[in-house]
């Protein structure tokens, strides 16, 4: 597939789009032996591209979705512990890195790639890419908590967190039995009436955040006095954890998933 010359050079890791445009304009790039004039020129399959006389080869990006199990570190290398990269059997594992981090005990969706530009976009604090987590916390998450999360919380950082959304709230007793149906839980006005005095041991819910601060979800729930007991990420931007993947399993992203991720945008404001 043809690609713009500036994009081709940037993807090959030779610089940012604006840097490689300067290379082109200063006559350092040859396309099939002829000096390239404009960044918009197309690089077709089989076009010979030279920068300062050196051949530039097409960079093949790889994208994997992993259902991260607990007990594994979100890093490329670690002295003592198994890393998420070690779970992936791929041609160039040394180039692969996780996009952001999940804590060692957190499970769920983790993207691994060698595409630094995409990772940078997804992690950029300016992009506010939505991440959805399933959370089990000790105690009863109340309507007041929903409002506090929606306002953003002071968790001891320089700035409050951005607004976060709590949804699909469900209550459980000590025996692990659900004590309210999801639909009743959704109608928050009737909460106390519907509970009828039953004591809530645990709340299972989803939280949507648009940042990636250190231990963010755990710190937010600690702030409202409800320690996290279990945490699992189920989506990031447009990318949703494939239900077919068991813990520790992974698969390559489809082309639609990759382009969806590239268009991942903010929702909570
Ligand atoms: N928030 C946390 O507290 N931990 C994670 O692993 C991810 C988000």
């Amino acid at each position: 597939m043809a690609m713009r010359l500036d994009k081709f050079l940037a993807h090959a890791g030779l610089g940012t789009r604006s840097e490689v445009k300067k290379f082109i304009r200063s006559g350092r790039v040859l396309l099939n032996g002829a000096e390239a004039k404009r960044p918009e020129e197309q690089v077709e399959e089989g076009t010979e591209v030279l920068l300062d006389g050196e051949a530039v080869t097409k960079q093949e990006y790889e994208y994997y979705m992993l259902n991260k199990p607990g007990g594994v570190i979100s890093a490329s290398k670690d002295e003592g512990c198994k890393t998420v990269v070690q779970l992936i059997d791929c041609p160039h594992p040394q180039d692969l890195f996780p996009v952001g981090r999940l804590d060692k005990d957190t499970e769920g969706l983790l993207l691994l790639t060698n595409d630094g530009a995409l990772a940078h976009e997804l992690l950029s604090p300016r992009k506010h890419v939505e991440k959805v987590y399933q959370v089990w916390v000790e105690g009863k998450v109340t309507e007041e908590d929903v409002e506090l999360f929606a306002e953003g919380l002071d968790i001891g950082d320089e700035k409050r967190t951005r607004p976060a959304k709590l949804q699909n709230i469900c209550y459980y007793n000590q025996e692990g039995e659900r004590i309210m149906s999801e639909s009743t839980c959704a109608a928050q006005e009737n909460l106390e009436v519907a509970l009828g005095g039953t004591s809530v041991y645990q709340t299972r819910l989803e939280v949507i955040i648009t940042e990636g601060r250190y231990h963010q979800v755990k710190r937010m729930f600690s702030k409202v006095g409800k320690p996290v007991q279990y945490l699992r990420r189920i989506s990031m931007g447009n990318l949703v954890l494939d239900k077919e993947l068991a813990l520790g399993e992974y698969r390559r992203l489809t082309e639609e998933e990759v382009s969806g991720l590239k268009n991942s945008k903010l929702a909570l404001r």
Side-chain angles (χ1 to χ4, degrees):
M1 211 173 62
M3 190 188 275
R4 274 175 65 117
L5 178 57
D6 55 346
K7 190 171 175 188
F8 179 91
L9 294 171
H11 275 198
L14 296 171
T16 61
R17 283 286 263 278
S18 52
E19 284 165 346
V20 301
K21 278 180 185 162
K22 287 185 195 145
F23 301 161
I24 299 166
R25 295 212 171 94
S26 54
R28 292 168 59 188
V29 183
L30 300 187
L31 288 184
N32 288 334
E35 193 178 299
K37 301 272 184 248
R38 294 172 303 112
E40 308 81 56
E41 284 184 58
Q42 295 293 310
V43 179
E44 310 281 346
E45 210 60 57
T47 305
E48 184 197 52
V49 184
L50 301 181
L51 171 67
D52 298 333
E54 298 276 335
V56 182
T57 48
K58 190 171 168 198
Q59 172 75 43
E60 296 294 347
Y61 288 130
E62 291 176 42
Y63 306 89
Y64 297 93
M65 168 193 295
L66 168 71
N67 186 0
K68 179 191 171 297
V72 181
I73 304 275
S74 295
S76 306
K77 285 196 201 97
D78 187 85
E79 292 296 306
C81 230
K82 190 161 197 172
T83 72
V84 287
V85 170
Q86 288 171 311
L87 297 175
I88 314 280
D89 183 13
C90 68
H92 306 288
Q94 68 283 1
D95 297 334
L96 216 58
F97 54 87
V99 178
R101 282 169 187 270
L102 291 178
D103 296 338
K104 189 172 175 186
D105 59 353
T106 301
E107 296 179 352
L109 176 67
L110 191 64
L111 171 67
L112 292 106
T113 183
N114 53 359
D115 182 346
L118 178 65
H120 182 75
E121 285 287 296
L122 290 172
L123 297 175
S124 161
R126 285 177 297 107
K127 293 281 164 166
H128 308 311
V129 171
E130 278 193 4
K131 272 107 18 189
V132 184
Y133 292 86
Q134 284 177 339
V135 201
W136 298 4
V137 300
E138 196 179 313
K140 186 170 84 179
V141 170
T142 61
E143 182 59 26
E144 191 193 344
D145 295 328
V146 174
E147 284 163 16
L148 289 170
F149 273 69
E151 284 163 13
L153 286 169
D154 176 357
I155 54 171
D157 294 343
E158 211 174 301
K159 278 191 179 167
R160 299 168 82 81
T161 65
R162 287 179 50 78
K165 186 171 180 200
L166 301 185
Q167 62 187 26
N168 294 336
I169 299 171
C170 258
Y171 299 122
Y172 285 74
N173 65 17
Q174 186 102 39
E175 283 69 48
E177 293 157 350
R178 195 163 70 185
I179 48 181
M180 266 177 72
S181 75
E182 283 181 47
S183 55
T184 322
C185 282
Q188 290 283 330
E189 312 92 61
N190 298 324
L191 203 57
E192 295 308 324
V193 182
L195 278 171
T198 317
S199 131
V200 173
Y201 165 72
Q202 183 186 64
T203 307
R204 300 184 189 178
L205 72 162
E206 288 173 2
V207 56
I208 309 178
I209 59 172
T210 57
E211 299 163 292
R213 300 191 197 184
Y214 180 67
H215 291 334
Q216 180 164 346
V217 173
K218 290 175 184 165
R219 290 198 288 147
M220 289 178 89
F221 280 100
S222 270
K223 176 73 187 188
V224 297
K226 277 126 210 178
V228 168
Q229 297 172 321
Y230 171 76
L231 187 58
R232 172 175 186 250
R233 183 158 66 191
I234 54 171
S235 75
M236 178 175 182
N238 297 332
L239 188 65
V240 179
L241 180 63
D242 186 334
K243 291 194 174 63
E244 298 296 312
L245 293 177
L247 280 173
E249 287 186 345
Y250 62 91
R251 68 159 170 79
R252 278 179 188 269
L253 259 53
T254 63
E255 277 182 25
E256 292 75 50
E257 285 171 331
V258 175
S259 54
L261 262 185
K262 290 182 178 168
N263 293 320
S264 284
K265 288 254 159 52
L266 31 130
L268 300 176
R269 280 168 199 280

